[in-house]
Amino acid sequence: MSEADWERLIPKPSSKFLLVVCNECGNRQIVFDSAKTRVKCNVCGSILATPTGGRARITAKVERIYD
Ligand SMILES: [Zn+2]
């Protein structure tokens, strides 16, 4: 099997973009799932994601994952 095949088979621990819905105001916003800083809602300022060292902890509702 070629190297390219292996790269396709083994999922990389790559970061994803998440479409989240703010719990407070319902605003939809794209959040990087390994955000290094706290992500706030652009509308009401509530926290959507908190960095944990690895993957960010998402505190809003995840509606869609882009990978
Ligand atoms: Zn909000």
Side-chain angles (χ1 to χ4, degrees):
M1 208 182 289
S2 76
E3 214 169 288
D5 287 333
W6 279 111
E7 274 179 24
R8 242 180 300 138
L9 284 172
I10 302 165
K12 288 181 195 158
S14 58
S15 302
K16 289 174 177 148
F17 288 97
L18 310 172
L19 178 65
V20 301
V21 182
C22 176
N23 290 326
E24 299 299 322
C25 73
N27 174 48
R28 282 180 175 77
Q29 197 167 316
I30 303 291
V31 171
F32 192 42
D33 85 338
S34 49
K36 294 284 182 283
T37 55
R38 275 197 291 185
V39 180
K40 288 181 181 177
C41 173
N42 285 334
V43 174
C44 72
S46 75
I47 302 299
L48 301 179
T50 309
T52 60
R55 287 261 160 96
R57 190 156 45 87
I58 307 297
T59 46
K61 180 171 168 265
V62 178
E63 192 166 85
R64 198 167 161 187
I65 299 168
Y66 301 97
D67 53 1

